[in-house]
Amino acid sequence: MTRNKGEFVVALFQSVSVAMKAETALKAAGVSYKLIPVPKEISSECGICVRLLPSDKAAAETVFAGAQIASTFVDF
Amino acid sequence: MIPVKRGYEMGKVIDATGNACPKPVMITKKALDTDSDIEVLVDNETAAKNVAMFAASRGCTVSSAQEQTNLFRVRIVKQEGTEECEDIAAFTTGPTVFVFSSDVMGRGDEALGKVLIKAFLHTATELDRLPDMMLFYNTGVKLAASDAETSADIALLEKKGVKVLVCGTCVNFFNLGGKLAAGTVSNMYDILNAMNTAGRIVTP
């Protein structure tokens, strides 16, 4: 896989349910994202996260704050 | 310690004891490439059954006996005219086909299934060993629709060389004609043939 670290950021959530809520909120706000499995280098446990372009991170943070969704952003 | 052979003429003895599954079957397969009458020794009943099943699937005559607590002897004799049944590997090394029979992954919670299928297709694009073919039918065809979030991944897989067949009847049923981002609209003949000749079928 050819990908440079920092090309994307991923937003991690406490549970799949929260990730699904986050997806709905991003979609409603028109923020570009992609739902992906949590990368293995971040966690070996099965999970779902949201991948964003770094340029969309601020918009996503605003969306999550508005929807009271707790998340952690990691460079990916 | 392998017991001495009994007094009558038997096939070449292959000692597969001490090997964990699926090694005894692999040893048997290799032995059958060069010999047509063999006796395979294994140390557990499961291995004996697997070896016997494998040999039977190749059209061989098989008999099996337990000789000691940890010793089973499987006699395998190749039969004339069963060459066409010979290579089971042809079935296990055939094309890998991913079958998407719905627009969700697994059964149970619909919303969770929709999330999982997106993750599945994303991950599929990153596989070292891509499938040879992907089939989409019933609500699975919706995954390839232009407005579906999954369609970009399907298009990417197609670009990477994966053959993508989409059920024409289903496309028609869901009014998706001309609205697919990926795949060739196909028919039951091609779809069933792809499944029937597959080496492996993976269903999310």
Side-chain angles (χ1 to χ4, degrees), chain B residues 166-195:
Chain B
V166 185
C167 162
T169 306
C170 314
V171 167
N172 178 269
F173 184 84
F174 292 112
N175 283 320
L176 290 173
K179 297 174 190 166
L180 297 179
T184 303
V185 176
S186 189
N187 54 68
M188 188 62 85
Y189 301 101
D190 291 342
I191 288 172
L192 180 54
N193 186 54
M195 289 197 274

PDB file of all heavy atoms in Angstrom, chain B residues 166-195:
ATOM      1  N   VAL B 166     -22.555  -7.605 -12.349  1.00  0.00           N
ATOM      2  CA  VAL B 166     -23.722  -7.109 -11.624  1.00  0.00           C
ATOM      3  C   VAL B 166     -24.967  -7.721 -12.260  1.00  0.00           C
ATOM      4  O   VAL B 166     -25.125  -7.707 -13.478  1.00  0.00           O
ATOM      5  CB  VAL B 166     -23.778  -5.561 -11.701  1.00  0.00           C
ATOM      6  CG1 VAL B 166     -24.927  -5.028 -10.853  1.00  0.00           C
ATOM      7  CG2 VAL B 166     -22.456  -4.950 -11.251  1.00  0.00           C
ATOM      8  N   CYS B 167     -25.823  -8.253 -11.430  1.00  0.00           N
ATOM      9  CA  CYS B 167     -27.032  -8.936 -11.901  1.00  0.00           C
ATOM     10  C   CYS B 167     -27.969  -7.966 -12.630  1.00  0.00           C
ATOM     11  O   CYS B 167     -28.457  -7.001 -12.042  1.00  0.00           O
ATOM     12  CB  CYS B 167     -27.740  -9.572 -10.707  1.00  0.00           C
ATOM     13  SG  CYS B 167     -29.455 -10.004 -10.979  1.00  0.00           S
ATOM     14  N   GLY B 168     -28.213  -8.241 -13.910  1.00  0.00           N
ATOM     15  CA  GLY B 168     -29.054  -7.371 -14.723  1.00  0.00           C
ATOM     16  C   GLY B 168     -30.498  -7.331 -14.254  1.00  0.00           C
ATOM     17  O   GLY B 168     -31.131  -6.270 -14.225  1.00  0.00           O
ATOM     18  N   THR B 169     -31.013  -8.465 -13.861  1.00  0.00           N
ATOM     19  CA  THR B 169     -32.396  -8.531 -13.366  1.00  0.00           C
ATOM     20  C   THR B 169     -32.561  -7.619 -12.155  1.00  0.00           C
ATOM     21  O   THR B 169     -33.555  -6.911 -12.008  1.00  0.00           O
ATOM     22  CB  THR B 169     -32.738  -9.983 -12.960  1.00  0.00           C
ATOM     23  OG1 THR B 169     -32.470 -10.838 -14.073  1.00  0.00           O
ATOM     24  CG2 THR B 169     -34.185 -10.118 -12.543  1.00  0.00           C
ATOM     25  N   CYS B 170     -31.544  -7.647 -11.295  1.00  0.00           N
ATOM     26  CA  CYS B 170     -31.599  -6.865 -10.059  1.00  0.00           C
ATOM     27  C   CYS B 170     -31.451  -5.366 -10.357  1.00  0.00           C
ATOM     28  O   CYS B 170     -32.117  -4.537  -9.738  1.00  0.00           O
ATOM     29  CB  CYS B 170     -30.505  -7.332  -9.105  1.00  0.00           C
ATOM     30  SG  CYS B 170     -30.407  -9.124  -8.977  1.00  0.00           S
ATOM     31  N   VAL B 171     -30.575  -5.054 -11.314  1.00  0.00           N
ATOM     32  CA  VAL B 171     -30.392  -3.652 -11.720  1.00  0.00           C
ATOM     33  C   VAL B 171     -31.725  -3.107 -12.223  1.00  0.00           C
ATOM     34  O   VAL B 171     -32.147  -2.001 -11.874  1.00  0.00           O
ATOM     35  CB  VAL B 171     -29.302  -3.553 -12.822  1.00  0.00           C
ATOM     36  CG1 VAL B 171     -29.322  -2.183 -13.492  1.00  0.00           C
ATOM     37  CG2 VAL B 171     -27.928  -3.830 -12.225  1.00  0.00           C
ATOM     38  N   ASN B 172     -32.404  -3.931 -13.004  1.00  0.00           N
ATOM     39  CA  ASN B 172     -33.705  -3.546 -13.537  1.00  0.00           C
ATOM     40  C   ASN B 172     -34.726  -3.382 -12.401  1.00  0.00           C
ATOM     41  O   ASN B 172     -35.461  -2.399 -12.340  1.00  0.00           O
ATOM     42  CB  ASN B 172     -34.147  -4.633 -14.526  1.00  0.00           C
ATOM     43  CG  ASN B 172     -35.511  -4.340 -15.106  1.00  0.00           C
ATOM     44  OD1 ASN B 172     -36.509  -4.782 -14.554  1.00  0.00           O
ATOM     45  ND2 ASN B 172     -35.539  -3.588 -16.185  1.00  0.00           N
ATOM     46  N   PHE B 173     -34.721  -4.327 -11.502  1.00  0.00           N
ATOM     47  CA  PHE B 173     -35.687  -4.312 -10.388  1.00  0.00           C
ATOM     48  C   PHE B 173     -35.565  -3.044  -9.541  1.00  0.00           C
ATOM     49  O   PHE B 173     -36.548  -2.470  -9.107  1.00  0.00           O
ATOM     50  CB  PHE B 173     -35.478  -5.559  -9.515  1.00  0.00           C
ATOM     51  CG  PHE B 173     -36.469  -5.694  -8.391  1.00  0.00           C
ATOM     52  CD1 PHE B 173     -37.720  -6.272  -8.601  1.00  0.00           C
ATOM     53  CD2 PHE B 173     -36.164  -5.237  -7.111  1.00  0.00           C
ATOM     54  CE1 PHE B 173     -38.631  -6.392  -7.563  1.00  0.00           C
ATOM     55  CE2 PHE B 173     -37.080  -5.353  -6.072  1.00  0.00           C
ATOM     56  CZ  PHE B 173     -38.319  -5.937  -6.299  1.00  0.00           C
ATOM     57  N   PHE B 174     -34.309  -2.634  -9.300  1.00  0.00           N
ATOM     58  CA  PHE B 174     -34.086  -1.458  -8.446  1.00  0.00           C
ATOM     59  C   PHE B 174     -33.953  -0.159  -9.258  1.00  0.00           C
ATOM     60  O   PHE B 174     -33.531   0.864  -8.721  1.00  0.00           O
ATOM     61  CB  PHE B 174     -32.839  -1.669  -7.580  1.00  0.00           C
ATOM     62  CG  PHE B 174     -33.008  -2.747  -6.538  1.00  0.00           C
ATOM     63  CD1 PHE B 174     -32.295  -3.934  -6.628  1.00  0.00           C
ATOM     64  CD2 PHE B 174     -33.895  -2.584  -5.479  1.00  0.00           C
ATOM     65  CE1 PHE B 174     -32.457  -4.942  -5.673  1.00  0.00           C
ATOM     66  CE2 PHE B 174     -34.056  -3.578  -4.523  1.00  0.00           C
ATOM     67  CZ  PHE B 174     -33.349  -4.759  -4.626  1.00  0.00           C
ATOM     68  N   ASN B 175     -34.292  -0.234 -10.550  1.00  0.00           N
ATOM     69  CA  ASN B 175     -34.214   0.949 -11.428  1.00  0.00           C
ATOM     70  C   ASN B 175     -32.830   1.593 -11.423  1.00  0.00           C
ATOM     71  O   ASN B 175     -32.696   2.809 -11.294  1.00  0.00           O
ATOM     72  CB  ASN B 175     -35.249   2.003 -11.009  1.00  0.00           C
ATOM     73  CG  ASN B 175     -36.635   1.612 -11.467  1.00  0.00           C
ATOM     74  OD1 ASN B 175     -36.791   1.099 -12.591  1.00  0.00           O
ATOM     75  ND2 ASN B 175     -37.619   1.804 -10.620  1.00  0.00           N
ATOM     76  N   LEU B 176     -31.823   0.756 -11.521  1.00  0.00           N
ATOM     77  CA  LEU B 176     -30.457   1.286 -11.504  1.00  0.00           C
ATOM     78  C   LEU B 176     -29.806   1.278 -12.884  1.00  0.00           C
ATOM     79  O   LEU B 176     -28.598   1.485 -13.011  1.00  0.00           O
ATOM     80  CB  LEU B 176     -29.599   0.471 -10.516  1.00  0.00           C
ATOM     81  CG  LEU B 176     -29.943   0.663  -9.030  1.00  0.00           C
ATOM     82  CD1 LEU B 176     -29.166  -0.316  -8.162  1.00  0.00           C
ATOM     83  CD2 LEU B 176     -29.672   2.096  -8.588  1.00  0.00           C
ATOM     84  N   GLY B 177     -30.611   1.046 -13.907  1.00  0.00           N
ATOM     85  CA  GLY B 177     -30.072   1.037 -15.271  1.00  0.00           C
ATOM     86  C   GLY B 177     -29.391   2.362 -15.591  1.00  0.00           C
ATOM     87  O   GLY B 177     -29.972   3.417 -15.373  1.00  0.00           O
ATOM     88  N   GLY B 178     -28.134   2.287 -16.056  1.00  0.00           N
ATOM     89  CA  GLY B 178     -27.397   3.493 -16.393  1.00  0.00           C
ATOM     90  C   GLY B 178     -26.891   4.266 -15.184  1.00  0.00           C
ATOM     91  O   GLY B 178     -26.338   5.348 -15.313  1.00  0.00           O
ATOM     92  N   LYS B 179     -27.115   3.716 -14.015  1.00  0.00           N
ATOM     93  CA  LYS B 179     -26.702   4.443 -12.801  1.00  0.00           C
ATOM     94  C   LYS B 179     -25.594   3.713 -12.044  1.00  0.00           C
ATOM     95  O   LYS B 179     -25.373   3.962 -10.859  1.00  0.00           O
ATOM     96  CB  LYS B 179     -27.903   4.623 -11.862  1.00  0.00           C
ATOM     97  CG  LYS B 179     -29.029   5.469 -12.462  1.00  0.00           C
ATOM     98  CD  LYS B 179     -30.232   5.478 -11.529  1.00  0.00           C
ATOM     99  CE  LYS B 179     -31.452   6.103 -12.206  1.00  0.00           C
ATOM    100  NZ  LYS B 179     -32.691   5.821 -11.471  1.00  0.00           N
ATOM    101  N   LEU B 180     -24.915   2.784 -12.715  1.00  0.00           N
ATOM    102  CA  LEU B 180     -23.850   2.038 -12.038  1.00  0.00           C
ATOM    103  C   LEU B 180     -22.504   2.710 -12.254  1.00  0.00           C
ATOM    104  O   LEU B 180     -22.196   3.173 -13.351  1.00  0.00           O
ATOM    105  CB  LEU B 180     -23.789   0.604 -12.567  1.00  0.00           C
ATOM    106  CG  LEU B 180     -25.021  -0.280 -12.326  1.00  0.00           C
ATOM    107  CD1 LEU B 180     -24.792  -1.655 -12.925  1.00  0.00           C
ATOM    108  CD2 LEU B 180     -25.343  -0.391 -10.840  1.00  0.00           C
ATOM    109  N   ALA B 181     -21.715   2.748 -11.190  1.00  0.00           N
ATOM    110  CA  ALA B 181     -20.383   3.348 -11.282  1.00  0.00           C
ATOM    111  C   ALA B 181     -19.337   2.306 -11.655  1.00  0.00           C
ATOM    112  O   ALA B 181     -18.208   2.634 -12.000  1.00  0.00           O
ATOM    113  CB  ALA B 181     -20.010   3.986  -9.959  1.00  0.00           C
ATOM    114  N   ALA B 182     -19.704   1.047 -11.558  1.00  0.00           N
ATOM    115  CA  ALA B 182     -18.729  -0.016 -11.829  1.00  0.00           C
ATOM    116  C   ALA B 182     -19.458  -1.281 -12.237  1.00  0.00           C
ATOM    117  O   ALA B 182     -20.655  -1.437 -11.993  1.00  0.00           O
ATOM    118  CB  ALA B 182     -17.893  -0.282 -10.583  1.00  0.00           C
ATOM    119  N   GLY B 183     -18.724  -2.162 -12.847  1.00  0.00           N
ATOM    120  CA  GLY B 183     -19.259  -3.486 -13.138  1.00  0.00           C
ATOM    121  C   GLY B 183     -19.884  -3.628 -14.508  1.00  0.00           C
ATOM    122  O   GLY B 183     -20.247  -2.652 -15.151  1.00  0.00           O
ATOM    123  N   THR B 184     -19.977  -4.876 -14.918  1.00  0.00           N
ATOM    124  CA  THR B 184     -20.623  -5.230 -16.164  1.00  0.00           C
ATOM    125  C   THR B 184     -21.978  -5.827 -15.813  1.00  0.00           C
ATOM    126  O   THR B 184     -22.062  -6.729 -14.975  1.00  0.00           O
ATOM    127  CB  THR B 184     -19.787  -6.303 -16.906  1.00  0.00           C
ATOM    128  OG1 THR B 184     -18.471  -5.775 -17.103  1.00  0.00           O
ATOM    129  CG2 THR B 184     -20.417  -6.670 -18.233  1.00  0.00           C
ATOM    130  N   VAL B 185     -23.028  -5.309 -16.428  1.00  0.00           N
ATOM    131  CA  VAL B 185     -24.355  -5.869 -16.176  1.00  0.00           C
ATOM    132  C   VAL B 185     -24.378  -7.268 -16.782  1.00  0.00           C
ATOM    133  O   VAL B 185     -24.036  -7.459 -17.942  1.00  0.00           O
ATOM    134  CB  VAL B 185     -25.458  -4.977 -16.768  1.00  0.00           C
ATOM    135  CG1 VAL B 185     -26.822  -5.635 -16.589  1.00  0.00           C
ATOM    136  CG2 VAL B 185     -25.440  -3.601 -16.096  1.00  0.00           C
ATOM    137  N   SER B 186     -24.716  -8.234 -15.950  1.00  0.00           N
ATOM    138  CA  SER B 186     -24.583  -9.622 -16.367  1.00  0.00           C
ATOM    139  C   SER B 186     -25.881 -10.395 -16.147  1.00  0.00           C
ATOM    140  O   SER B 186     -26.926  -9.822 -15.866  1.00  0.00           O
ATOM    141  CB  SER B 186     -23.416 -10.249 -15.602  1.00  0.00           C
ATOM    142  OG  SER B 186     -23.126 -11.517 -16.113  1.00  0.00           O
ATOM    143  N   ASN B 187     -25.785 -11.683 -16.282  1.00  0.00           N
ATOM    144  CA  ASN B 187     -26.982 -12.527 -16.244  1.00  0.00           C
ATOM    145  C   ASN B 187     -26.752 -13.747 -15.365  1.00  0.00           C
ATOM    146  O   ASN B 187     -25.637 -14.018 -14.928  1.00  0.00           O
ATOM    147  CB  ASN B 187     -27.321 -12.981 -17.664  1.00  0.00           C
ATOM    148  CG  ASN B 187     -26.119 -13.635 -18.302  1.00  0.00           C
ATOM    149  OD1 ASN B 187     -25.690 -14.715 -17.903  1.00  0.00           O
ATOM    150  ND2 ASN B 187     -25.534 -12.942 -19.275  1.00  0.00           N
ATOM    151  N   MET B 188     -27.808 -14.497 -15.154  1.00  0.00           N
ATOM    152  CA  MET B 188     -27.747 -15.661 -14.276  1.00  0.00           C
ATOM    153  C   MET B 188     -26.743 -16.697 -14.784  1.00  0.00           C
ATOM    154  O   MET B 188     -26.068 -17.357 -13.990  1.00  0.00           O
ATOM    155  CB  MET B 188     -29.138 -16.289 -14.140  1.00  0.00           C
ATOM    156  CG  MET B 188     -29.220 -17.378 -13.112  1.00  0.00           C
ATOM    157  SD  MET B 188     -28.840 -16.798 -11.443  1.00  0.00           S
ATOM    158  CE  MET B 188     -30.442 -16.180 -10.918  1.00  0.00           C
ATOM    159  N   TYR B 189     -26.643 -16.836 -16.107  1.00  0.00           N
ATOM    160  CA  TYR B 189     -25.725 -17.842 -16.659  1.00  0.00           C
ATOM    161  C   TYR B 189     -24.290 -17.552 -16.234  1.00  0.00           C
ATOM    162  O   TYR B 189     -23.583 -18.413 -15.732  1.00  0.00           O
ATOM    163  CB  TYR B 189     -25.817 -17.864 -18.196  1.00  0.00           C
ATOM    164  CG  TYR B 189     -27.198 -18.167 -18.689  1.00  0.00           C
ATOM    165  CD1 TYR B 189     -28.023 -17.142 -19.130  1.00  0.00           C
ATOM    166  CD2 TYR B 189     -27.698 -19.473 -18.688  1.00  0.00           C
ATOM    167  CE1 TYR B 189     -29.318 -17.408 -19.563  1.00  0.00           C
ATOM    168  CE2 TYR B 189     -28.981 -19.745 -19.111  1.00  0.00           C
ATOM    169  CZ  TYR B 189     -29.789 -18.714 -19.556  1.00  0.00           C
ATOM    170  OH  TYR B 189     -31.058 -18.977 -19.966  1.00  0.00           O
ATOM    171  N   ASP B 190     -23.877 -16.317 -16.460  1.00  0.00           N
ATOM    172  CA  ASP B 190     -22.490 -15.954 -16.136  1.00  0.00           C
ATOM    173  C   ASP B 190     -22.247 -15.945 -14.631  1.00  0.00           C
ATOM    174  O   ASP B 190     -21.180 -16.332 -14.161  1.00  0.00           O
ATOM    175  CB  ASP B 190     -22.156 -14.573 -16.719  1.00  0.00           C
ATOM    176  CG  ASP B 190     -22.091 -14.619 -18.228  1.00  0.00           C
ATOM    177  OD1 ASP B 190     -21.961 -15.731 -18.781  1.00  0.00           O
ATOM    178  OD2 ASP B 190     -22.176 -13.546 -18.861  1.00  0.00           O
ATOM    179  N   ILE B 191     -23.252 -15.479 -13.887  1.00  0.00           N
ATOM    180  CA  ILE B 191     -23.091 -15.393 -12.435  1.00  0.00           C
ATOM    181  C   ILE B 191     -23.018 -16.790 -11.823  1.00  0.00           C
ATOM    182  O   ILE B 191     -22.132 -17.088 -11.018  1.00  0.00           O
ATOM    183  CB  ILE B 191     -24.232 -14.554 -11.812  1.00  0.00           C
ATOM    184  CG1 ILE B 191     -24.016 -13.079 -12.175  1.00  0.00           C
ATOM    185  CG2 ILE B 191     -24.294 -14.744 -10.298  1.00  0.00           C
ATOM    186  CD1 ILE B 191     -25.153 -12.161 -11.805  1.00  0.00           C
ATOM    187  N   LEU B 192     -23.919 -17.654 -12.258  1.00  0.00           N
ATOM    188  CA  LEU B 192     -23.900 -19.020 -11.714  1.00  0.00           C
ATOM    189  C   LEU B 192     -22.637 -19.755 -12.165  1.00  0.00           C
ATOM    190  O   LEU B 192     -22.019 -20.478 -11.381  1.00  0.00           O
ATOM    191  CB  LEU B 192     -25.159 -19.783 -12.141  1.00  0.00           C
ATOM    192  CG  LEU B 192     -25.261 -21.218 -11.632  1.00  0.00           C
ATOM    193  CD1 LEU B 192     -25.103 -21.285 -10.118  1.00  0.00           C
ATOM    194  CD2 LEU B 192     -26.593 -21.837 -12.030  1.00  0.00           C
ATOM    195  N   ASN B 193     -22.245 -19.537 -13.402  1.00  0.00           N
ATOM    196  CA  ASN B 193     -21.024 -20.185 -13.895  1.00  0.00           C
ATOM    197  C   ASN B 193     -19.804 -19.729 -13.095  1.00  0.00           C
ATOM    198  O   ASN B 193     -18.936 -20.535 -12.760  1.00  0.00           O
ATOM    199  CB  ASN B 193     -20.833 -19.864 -15.383  1.00  0.00           C
ATOM    200  CG  ASN B 193     -19.667 -20.638 -15.969  1.00  0.00           C
ATOM    201  OD1 ASN B 193     -19.610 -21.863 -15.855  1.00  0.00           O
ATOM    202  ND2 ASN B 193     -18.721 -19.930 -16.544  1.00  0.00           N
ATOM    203  N   ALA B 194     -19.756 -18.456 -12.760  1.00  0.00           N
ATOM    204  CA  ALA B 194     -18.638 -17.926 -11.969  1.00  0.00           C
ATOM    205  C   ALA B 194     -18.596 -18.585 -10.592  1.00  0.00           C
ATOM    206  O   ALA B 194     -17.531 -18.955 -10.097  1.00  0.00           O
ATOM    207  CB  ALA B 194     -18.770 -16.416 -11.830  1.00  0.00           C
ATOM    208  N   MET B 195     -19.769 -18.766  -9.990  1.00  0.00           N
ATOM    209  CA  MET B 195     -19.794 -19.392  -8.664  1.00  0.00           C
ATOM    210  C   MET B 195     -19.460 -20.872  -8.761  1.00  0.00           C
ATOM    211  O   MET B 195     -18.750 -21.424  -7.925  1.00  0.00           O
ATOM    212  CB  MET B 195     -21.177 -19.199  -8.021  1.00  0.00           C
ATOM    213  CG  MET B 195     -21.431 -17.778  -7.610  1.00  0.00           C
ATOM    214  SD  MET B 195     -22.795 -17.624  -6.436  1.00  0.00           S
ATOM    215  CE  MET B 195     -24.166 -17.540  -7.545  1.00  0.00           C
TER     216      MET B 195
END
